[in-house]
Amino acid sequence: MCLVDGPHIDFDITVPVVVIGGGACGLVAALSAHDHGAEVVVLERDSLPRGSTALSSGMITACGTALQKSAGITDDNSELFAHDIQAKAGGKVNPDLLKAICSGAGPTIDWLVAVHNLNLVLVDGPPYPGHSRQRTHAPPTNSGSDLMADLLRAVEAADIDVMTNATVNKLFVEGERVSGVLIERPDGSTERLGCGALVLASSGFGGNPDMVASYLPEMAGAIYFGHEGNKGEAVRWGQALGAACDDMGSFQGHGSVATPHAITVSWALLNSGGILVNAMGNRFCDESLGASELAATVCQQGRNVWSIIDKRLHDGALRFPDFKALEQLGAIKSGATAADLAHACKLPVDVFEATLATAGKSPSLTAPYYAIRVTGALLQTQGGLTIDSNARILRSDGVALPNLFAGGGAAQGISGSDGTGYLSCNGLLSAVTLGRIAGREAARQVTVSP
Ligand SMILES: Cc1cc2nc3c(=O)[nH]c(=O)nc-3n(C[C@H](O)[C@H](O)[C@H](O)COP(=O)(O)OP(=O)(O)OC[C@H]3O[C@@H](n4cnc5c(N)ncnc54)[C@H](O)[C@@H]3O)c2cc1C
């Protein structure tokens, strides 16, 4: 049982705002609650907070920021931003929630930079596919680890407590109100922490194979490439309290992860002439559909899918550390001719030669050829607890639970209903922006006098 009914719990200590999860959403929620005058603590199961955020490229989309303006981009706005997200998600995103996120993202980035000194820049170059303007902000290194380090530095500077090695196992409830949480330590000991308001920032359920099999059957058994500690507790706590969930079939996937090396192979190679072939040497998809869209399709082909490129693409990709690592690990096979490569990959020579000859991609691949064995992976689940535009968790009848908030991977997403609706950077956009809203609203709840 994940809820404990207990009106008279003797808590070890009580903190007005408690945040579960120390990824981007949780740390931003804590900064926001603090800035709105509430005492706040973050509870994190790991010894060092990382989350999927540390595994990401740290890229956050936002419009109307000071960084966008100083790069001369003055014609972006939240309507255009929301339009781009809806276009990718087939119009299936809750418009009120999307409006709150798209209009809140710019001020959130400006606040993180100006008030909490986060080192973010506007990414150079053209916008990512599907974005009408360049609106991607990231640490200069494009590193999620650096984003986490910077957020932790800001949280420490604000004197906010982050309790690590603190896994929340159960919630104490009085009716629908959460009165506190049960924390389990690695040695099995437990602590009871009371709260006035609770923010669920413990992300999605990618690290829970049973929930993946149940909600995302097409990705059951796929490699999970996100944070292993994201086990779906937020959804289970919320459901036990009568909360609704939305978009549970939605996910961010990747159809080209080198196996068994577990390193993503840039989809740009497939957009620039590369092709995917199965164990029979046949193409089985239109690679231009995209990385997330094809994750399940690649999984369906089994563990013997090859990403085929040529010398032009191979040599160009060697400047990227991940690709270089693949070469050093011996993950890249080569052949002077199509037949040589087919032999190296144990593909039927005739079929593979015909596949290359009829690929019809522009530019076409030319000898010598290279191949990397790839599979499909789940990066991040995108469905979760139904929330309103103030990040309050809603019951299925639309009524908000009294003191419970969610954001990031714990909350419903903005990526439609399956693996095809994820527009690049939707994950951190939702984590950071809803984190700020949830922290603010939780603080308001505990600081407003009755
Ligand atoms: C390889 C990869 C690349 C990506 N690149 C990008 C990108 O560039 N841009 C983008 O927008 N998105 C990207 N994403 C998605 C993005 O990383 C996530 O959407 C985002 O990090 C979610 O943030 P979060 O704070 O909700 O969750 P997380 O960062 O996963 O944090 C959740 C935290 O909660 C903790 N936790 C969980 N359960 C408990 C519990 N019971 N008790 C205590 N603590 C708990 C976990 O340990 C974890 O630290 C990427 C994802 C992956 C896997």
Side-chain angles (χ1 to χ4, degrees):
M1 190 57 194
C2 58
L3 302 181
V4 182
D5 207 3
H8 305 298
I9 300 293
D10 196 9
F11 290 111
D12 299 310
I13 182 177
T14 293
V15 178
V17 175
V18 171
V19 177
I20 306 178
C25 180
L27 297 182
V28 171
L31 289 169
S32 174
H34 168 272
D35 287 9
H36 285 87
E39 192 189 339
V40 54
V41 63
V42 179
L43 306 177
E44 167 55 48
R45 79 173 348 130
D46 288 348
S47 53
L48 175 69
R50 292 161 41 245
S52 287
T53 304
L55 301 169
S56 77
S57 310
M59 295 187 174
I60 313 164
T61 39
C63 65
T65 63
L67 285 163
Q68 235 193 358
K69 284 176 194 143
S70 48
I73 300 167
T74 53
D75 58 350
D76 201 4
N77 58 60
S78 55
E79 289 78 25
L80 185 59
F81 192 8
H83 174 270
D84 290 346
I85 290 172
Q86 285 287 23
K88 183 71 171 119
K92 292 183 183 155
V93 185
N94 174 324
D96 294 335
L97 181 62
L98 187 58
K99 189 174 174 190
I101 290 176
C102 290
S103 60
T108 299
I109 294 292
D110 284 347
W111 161 73
L112 287 170
V113 170
V115 178
H116 293 290
N117 301 316
L118 249 68
N119 186 11
L120 297 174
V121 296
L122 189 74
V123 169
D124 267 347
Y128 282 86
H131 286 285
S132 303
R133 301 286 182 277
Q134 178 51 280
R135 52 171 81 110
T136 303
H137 303 70
T141 50
N142 288 358
S143 154
S145 303
D146 287 351
L147 176 64
M148 279 301 292
D150 216 5
L151 283 169
L152 285 166
R153 191 241 346 116
V155 162
E156 193 180 343
D159 215 11
I160 295 168
D161 283 332
V162 178
M163 209 187 270
T164 54
N165 291 315
T167 301
V168 177
N169 273 343
K170 293 178 197 284
L171 307 188
F172 295 105
V173 294
E174 296 173 24
E176 288 181 336
R177 175 171 287 276
V178 178
S179 56
V181 302
L182 183 76
I183 299 167
E184 187 173 320
R185 297 298 198 165
D187 66 2
S189 62
T190 57
E191 287 157 40
R192 286 169 297 184
L193 178 68
C195 66
L198 183 65
V199 177
L200 302 182
S202 49
S203 204
F205 55 89
N208 182 328
D210 290 341
M211 288 178 78
V212 171
S214 157
Y215 292 113
L216 310 173
E218 70 272 44
M219 296 306 284
I223 293 175
Y224 173 50
F225 219 57
H227 182 59
E228 67 287 349
N230 295 343
K231 297 181 183 299
E233 284 107 330
V235 163
R236 287 191 281 124
W237 293 323
Q239 286 178 330
L241 272 164
C245 287
D246 263 318
D247 307 324
M248 292 300 281
S250 179
F251 66 94
Q252 174 196 9
H254 201 294
S256 179
V257 174
T259 180
H261 313 85
I263 295 175
T264 48
V265 183
S266 170
W267 204 262
L269 296 173
L270 298 170
N271 283 336
S272 311
I275 58 171
L276 291 171
V277 303
N278 61 16
M280 301 307 299
N282 288 313
R283 278 177 84 193
F284 55 89
C285 63
D286 171 4
E287 296 84 1
S288 70
L289 289 175
S292 183
E293 290 79 349
L294 289 170
T297 307
V298 172
C299 286
Q300 281 157 17
Q301 299 292 321
R303 290 283 162 105
N304 221 5
V305 172
W306 295 89
S307 176
I308 310 292
I309 56 174
D310 62 5
K311 186 169 168 51
R312 169 184 64 88
L313 293 170
H314 170 272
D315 291 359
L318 276 177
R319 69 196 154 97
F320 297 107
D322 278 0
F323 197 83
K324 206 164 187 168
L326 286 171
E327 175 127 300
Q328 284 161 354
L329 290 166
I332 306 176
K333 296 189 181 295
S334 62
T337 64
D340 289 345
L341 190 70
H343 283 304
C345 301
K346 298 191 174 56
L347 298 172
V349 173
D350 294 356
V351 179
F352 182 61
E353 283 181 331
T355 297
L356 271 185
T358 57
K361 287 194 81 172
S362 177
S364 59
L365 299 177
T366 54
Y369 301 105
Y370 297 80
I372 304 160
R373 191 200 304 263
V374 296
T375 186
L378 173 64
L379 265 55
Q380 182 78 17
T381 57
Q382 295 293 317
L385 295 161
T386 306
I387 54 170
D388 67 10
S389 41
N390 281 329
R392 296 185 307 171
I393 297 175
L394 303 179
R395 298 189 322 211
S396 35
D397 60 4
V399 174
L401 293 170
N403 64 342
L404 200 53
F405 302 84
Q412 69 184 100
I414 50 171
S415 302
S417 54
D418 56 24
T420 66
Y422 183 88
L423 185 62
S424 65
C425 306
N426 274 0
L428 283 172
L429 164 65
S430 159
V432 167
T433 310
L434 288 174
R436 187 180 191 210
I437 294 172
R440 180 191 71 210
E441 294 303 313
R444 281 188 180 153
Q445 200 169 75
V446 297
T447 52
V448 169
S449 41

